[in-house]
Amino acid sequence: MCGIVGYTGSKDAYPILIKGLQRLEYRGYDSAGVALMNDKTTLHKCKGKVVDLQNHIGSGLTTGTAGIGHTRWATHGEPNDVNAHPHTSMSGDIVLIHNGIIENYDSVRKELIHRGYTFHSETDTEVLVNLIEEIKKSEACSLSEAIRKALNEVIGAYAIVVMSNSEPGTLVAAKKSSPLVIGIGPDKDYYLASDATPIVEYTKNVVYLEDGEIAEIIPGKDLKLFTIQKQNVTPYIQELELQLEQLEKSGYDHFMLKEIYEQPRSVRDSLRGRLNLAAGLVHLGGMADYEQKLLNANRITIVACGTSWHAGLVGEYLIEDLARIPVEVEYASEFRYRNPIITEKDVVIAISQSGETADTLAALELAKSKGATILGICNVVGSTISRTTHGGSYTHAGPEIGVASTKAFTSQVTVLSLLALMLGNKKGSIERSKFLRLLYGLNEIPEKIERALQTNDLVELISAKFKDASNFLYLGRGYCFPVALEGALKLKEISYIHAEGYPAAEMKHGPIALIDEEMPVVVIATKGPSYEKVVSNIQEVKARKGVLIAIVTEGDTQVKEMADYTIEIPETDEIFSPLVASVPLQLLSYHIAVMRECNVDQPRNLAKSVTVE
Ligand code: G6P
């Protein structure tokens, strides 16, 4: 979602801002803009991509050693040039970029109109910039003090960066519920961004702004932090572990393809140091302190959104199966508004690649307020969710840039597998011999993913046959039901083909009515306890002339005879099948999207990091 960048120092700000906006493109957006500080502000903004902004600017004025830039994902008001950020105050003195939503913007707007302000855009952001101007004028205070007072009057979520003609070179930033990182350069030049990706090539020293904090940033001077209650805060400077190479495509056509191919490595990294075959144990550092809480919990609730919710479903199967602890998986957006019964005997685990998803964060905060132990499984180190939880484990998948999640999913499932094994072993609900067999099985998954990737050419051929389909049905049972959901989601997200994931047996209660010779049906029919049942479901599809694409275990003959196309993947224990079976489905959606000339890495309307509810 909206991306924020800022720079102030002695260098030319424009190239830094443009590169920063390009790094944030993966978050999803529909318009872009920059403001540069010369004697006064120069503003450029337009609907479209960063490249459209560059074309729009052409040979226009881009000088200045301080500036702010923004990619906007529309909430209030359609994507157009006027609604694009930055927004300026009525006098032109103040310019502001914003990620989030000001909920009481309407009442503030009416009050400002009453005081003579006029508005050009439909955005809540223009209201905030004018409120700051009104306070700055009427109270004759500094920019940072006016911002502090304004933020005490607004309700909602925000990360903002502000400049004023009256204080050239100064940037003021603030945050509540939306992320903001400040990089400190060697000469006390400052780089601001919604996440660390635009900052890493300039400095590794960063400060993650906390909710309710305001930063006054003046080049050459120390970073000054204070709260909206006016308490001074000592900046906590952290070192980034991110490497610049992780943010490049490394020869792949798309980030998504690179990330699909990274999975043997990313799953290995999720396992590293946690799975000890010699000692026959699993150690998940950040969870270990909460092991007793988890084992004695009334119930474990997993909250997540999108692909992470699908990983949560696999987690439910794993934890209930191996550790015999009741688990519920909830859409974070539903959980937070449905008055759930949560007590201090509950453990709530948030799963989030970005660690910034607004609904997931709010669900956790609700659970925390009710006394539950809250844990996180996040990918982005230092993200808000990872800082809000009592404990948790990082997935260590490395930065995921493609909007459609791939390697983050398999890493989340890997960590959930480790968690279920750790709890099952501790509780004694898995026999030792089975536990050890599963440890060895999990350890072999990266190599099996490598083999699953070798289906790529076949999957590409199959994709060519179905690229023009209007609908797809994905079926799976047991551990492969979440895989069916995830396969369907991937296709929808990046190729814009309608697809539904269904439990194979449940198909009879609805989707079967849709099946005819036009309907491709993807069935995950790997070897496992429900194999025979899935075979029966396949027959039901065939009887209605559905076109079958089956994911089967290497050496399968039965399904091969029935399916129109089969994709063979290595055999695993059933509980690890999602880790391997999802790979050809990721490839299928990728190739179909490429063949349909869709924007694979930045699909329309979607955002990588959904920081508004
Ligand atoms: C967005 C992304 C999805 C992601 C979901 C949850 O919808 O496009 O890829 O699965 O948010 O994000 P999270 O960062 O919390 O895992």
Side-chain angles (χ1 to χ4, degrees), residues 70 142 179 222 280 307 315 328 338 345-346 359 437 572 587 600:
H70 190 267
S142 68
D222 286 339
T307 289
E328 273 179 36
R338 69 165 186 79
K345 290 219 63 174
D346 281 278
D359 281 320
R437 177 171 59 75
T572 62
L587 290 169
V600 172

Side-chain angles (χ1 to χ4, degrees), residues 304-309 351-357 360 385 400 402-405 408 412 489-490 493 606-610:
C305 303
T307 289
S308 299
W309 186 83
I351 305 180
S352 175
Q353 188 285 128
S354 62
E356 301 294 347
T357 303
T360 309
I385 292 178
E400 190 179 66
V403 164
S405 189
Q412 289 163 344
L489 178 64
K490 285 286 85 76
E493 282 180 307
L606 293 178
K608 181 75 184 155
S609 180
V610 180

Side-chain angles (χ1 to χ4, degrees), residues 384-397:
T384 309
I385 292 178
S386 65
R387 287 180 288 129
T388 307
T389 43
H390 295 118
S393 294
Y394 284 118
T395 45
H396 297 308

Side-chain angles (χ1 to χ4, degrees), residues 256 490-491 494-495 584-594:
M256 182 181 177
K490 285 286 85 76
L491 190 71
I494 59 168
S495 70
L585 301 188
Q586 296 167 347
L587 290 169
L588 184 71
S589 62
Y590 171 78
H591 287 299
I592 290 180
V594 170

Side-chain angles (χ1 to χ4, degrees), residues 27-252:
R27 294 168 71 91
Y29 69 106
D30 35 51
S31 53
V34 289
L36 294 147
M37 183 57 77
N38 289 292
D39 299 337
K40 61 187 190 64
T41 315
T42 318
L43 181 67
H44 305 284
K45 56 182 187 168
C46 68
K47 181 183 167 181
K49 297 289 180 190
V50 177
V51 65
D52 300 314
L53 175 68
Q54 289 173 282
N55 292 336
H56 168 82
I57 295 171
S59 55
L61 189 63
T62 57
T63 52
T65 54
I68 55 181
H70 190 267
T71 49
R72 172 176 187 254
W73 189 88
T75 55
H76 291 74
E78 63 174 278
N80 61 27
D81 295 0
V82 179
N83 289 335
H85 294 216
H87 285 280
T88 34
S89 60
M90 196 171 75
S91 74
D93 172 33
I94 302 173
V95 58
L96 177 148
I97 49 176
H98 169 216
N99 173 10
I101 293 177
I102 304 300
E103 286 167 16
N104 60 335
Y105 82 102
D106 198 36
S107 57
V108 179
R109 189 175 203 260
K110 283 185 182 134
E111 178 58 30
L112 288 169
I113 289 172
H114 182 68
R115 294 190 200 180
Y117 282 80
T118 51
F119 292 88
H120 306 286
S121 76
E122 301 155 84
T123 65
D124 48 342
T125 305
E126 197 185 1
V127 174
L128 182 57
V129 72
N130 279 316
L131 177 64
I132 295 169
E133 170 152 301
E134 172 61 16
I135 294 171
K136 186 166 177 278
K137 267 195 199 158
S138 61
E139 305 200 13
C141 57
S142 68
L143 177 65
S144 60
E145 181 60 3
I147 291 170
R148 191 188 71 76
K149 289 188 167 162
L151 293 179
N152 275 293
E153 287 185 30
V154 298
I155 300 167
Y158 51 78
I160 55 169
V161 187
V162 195
M163 300 193 297
S164 163
N165 291 334
S166 60
E167 297 177 34
T170 299
L171 301 183
V172 181
K175 150 185 161 61
K176 184 181 164 218
S177 302
S178 290
L180 199 58
V181 192
I182 303 171
I184 305 172
D187 306 321
K188 290 190 184 159
D189 47 341
Y190 292 94
Y191 303 82
L192 289 83
S194 299
D195 64 46
T197 54
I199 297 177
V200 65
E201 60 194 281
Y202 306 107
T203 176
K204 293 230 161 186
N205 295 327
V206 296
V207 171
Y208 289 91
L209 218 54
E210 296 290 344
D211 276 357
E213 286 181 356
I214 299 172
E216 190 179 54
I217 303 157
I218 302 172
K221 291 197 177 171
D222 286 339
L223 179 66
K224 186 177 165 198
L225 293 190
F226 52 97
T227 67
I228 62 170
Q229 288 83 30
K230 226 177 172 173
Q231 301 292 312
N232 287 332
V233 177
T234 308
Y236 170 52
I237 302 172
Q238 302 186 41
E239 194 171 329
L240 285 178
E241 283 177 17
L242 195 65
Q243 304 298 327
L244 191 54
E245 311 79 73
Q246 294 176 305
L247 307 176
E248 310 286 351
K249 282 192 205 147
S250 316
Y252 286 91

Side-chain angles (χ1 to χ4, degrees), residues 411-468:
S411 282
Q412 289 163 344
V413 174
T414 303
V415 170
L416 288 160
S417 305
L418 289 166
L419 179 63
L421 284 165
M422 180 178 92
L423 295 175
N425 186 41
K426 190 77 182 182
K427 191 169 174 180
S429 49
I430 328 173
E431 278 176 23
R432 185 73 188 156
S433 56
K434 180 176 175 185
F435 174 73
L436 292 176
R437 177 171 59 75
L438 291 175
L439 283 200
Y440 276 87
L442 185 53
N443 193 49
E444 286 169 2
I445 293 297
E447 184 260 325
K448 290 185 176 172
I449 293 178
E450 239 152 60
R451 278 161 53 201
L453 286 167
Q454 290 164 12
T455 62
N456 183 52
D457 291 351
L458 170 64
V459 175
E460 193 172 359
L461 285 177
I462 297 173
S463 304
K465 308 263 177 211
F466 295 102
K467 68 177 177 36
D468 297 319

